[in-house]
Amino acid sequence: MAAETLVLVGEKLRAGMTTEEINTIVHEDTIRRGATPAPLNYKGFPKSVCTSLNDVVCHGIPGSEVLKDGDIINVDVTTLYKGFHGDTSATFYIGTPSPEARLVVESARRGLELGIAEVRDGARLGDIGYAIQSYVEAQGCSVVRDFVGHGIGRRFHEPPQVKHFGKRGDGQRLKAGMIFTVEPMVNLGRYEVEIDADDKWTVRTVDGELSAQFEHTVLVTHDGYEILTQRQKPLRLSENLSAVLVV
């Protein structure tokens, strides 16, 4: 459900719309499915989805911001259905992206893929972080330290913490049956972030540089992994790169 709602968001995104309109799309589609948007009123969060625009790393609150050509925006959807959570996000291009936007977005996308590829029974959490960090830093970007992936199931957030940086062989050993998110937040500049002093939610890069994120909910299996938020079609304005990244 979360994956399908994210696909719908991609189909609706356009320059000129507000982030509040994204919230309406997510809220209405989630309710239509007989589910609940998990972010709404979670620890006081006021909206049904997180919309993180340009230098916003995560937890952006939908509102009157208008999307414009050249923007990048992460949309983070979490659906609660019959007591269980599904959590997924992607970063979308609005209009024609700058080379810098392409670099940070594609580094985050590939970082997620490489991190998930480490998941299997008997692996270590540090293997995931090492794979992501080593790739992202080789691209000249940085990995956010202050926000990490998390266990998920009947609760929105629970152990273990899934860091997107670290050393191979370190950390808790993975066991078949574990479910958690992998969701690297990648910055174009420094990895440090700051939380908005007024709304207490919005997280931004300290240097004002762009940030991108991709996320899946992942199940550890005996022979590898299963992506529980796998999409059945490419995301418009994100995964249809031949159309987005016109040279």
Side-chain angles (χ1 to χ4, degrees):
M1 288 181 174
E4 290 173 357
T5 297
L6 192 60
V7 168
L8 177 64
V9 168
E11 293 172 349
K12 300 286 188 179
L13 280 178
R14 66 187 188 284
M17 76 186 301
T18 65
T19 52
E20 181 62 37
E21 289 177 83
I22 300 172
N23 183 75
T24 298
I25 291 166
V26 171
H27 183 87
E28 292 181 349
D29 189 63
T30 304
I31 298 301
R32 179 185 66 80
R33 298 173 184 277
T36 301
L40 185 60
N41 300 319
Y42 178 77
K43 296 186 177 181
F45 191 80
K47 298 291 182 174
S48 295
V49 67
C50 297
T51 53
S52 301
L53 185 65
N54 294 329
D55 66 329
V56 177
V57 176
C58 59
H59 304 161
I61 301 173
S64 59
E65 291 176 303
V66 177
L67 303 183
K68 62 183 185 301
D69 184 80
D71 283 344
I72 59 172
I73 183 167
N74 175 271
V75 179
D76 192 340
V77 174
T78 309
T79 301
L80 173 61
Y81 182 71
K82 294 187 176 180
F84 288 93
H85 295 79
D87 192 0
T88 185
S89 84
T91 299
F92 298 88
Y93 297 109
I94 306 300
T96 304
S98 66
E100 293 80 10
R102 290 172 58 175
L103 173 62
V104 71
V105 172
E106 297 312 312
S107 295
R109 189 197 312 277
R110 183 59 178 156
L112 173 64
E113 295 170 349
L114 292 170
I116 291 175
E118 296 289 333
V119 175
R120 64 185 181 282
D121 185 73
R124 298 277 188 177
L125 282 172
D127 301 344
I128 299 172
Y130 174 81
I132 295 169
Q133 182 183 10
S134 58
Y135 174 78
V136 166
E137 292 182 352
Q139 309 312 304
C141 297
S142 63
V143 178
V144 171
R145 308 290 205 272
D146 292 348
F147 294 88
V148 298
H150 52 89
I152 188 169
R154 291 190 182 277
R155 288 187 290 173
F156 194 163
H157 299 91
E158 60 186 20
Q161 287 194 342
V162 182
K163 296 177 181 178
H164 306 114
F165 59 96
K167 297 180 180 179
R168 187 172 295 283
D170 279 0
Q172 182 177 344
R173 192 176 297 280
L174 305 184
K175 296 181 180 180
M178 293 175 67
I179 299 176
F180 49 76
T181 68
V182 183
E183 48 180 303
M185 286 146 271
V186 174
N187 294 348
L188 189 64
R190 294 162 51 187
Y191 67 76
E192 294 92 349
V193 301
E194 56 189 5
I195 299 175
D196 188 282
D198 294 324
D199 68 37
K200 311 297 184 185
W201 280 104
T202 305
V203 179
R204 292 185 175 87
T205 58
V206 294
D207 54 12
E209 294 283 5
L210 296 173
S211 185
Q213 180 189 17
F214 289 84
E215 174 185 17
H216 274 307
T217 298
V218 181
L219 164 68
V220 182
T221 65
H222 287 289
D223 56 358
Y225 61 86
E226 180 182 351
I227 299 175
L228 301 182
T229 47
Q230 186 67 55
R231 295 178 287 273
Q232 300 303 309
K233 59 189 295 188
L235 288 173
R236 177 178 171 270
L237 302 186
S238 183
E239 291 176 325
N240 59 333
L241 297 184
S242 61
V244 172
L245 305 180
V246 178
V247 179

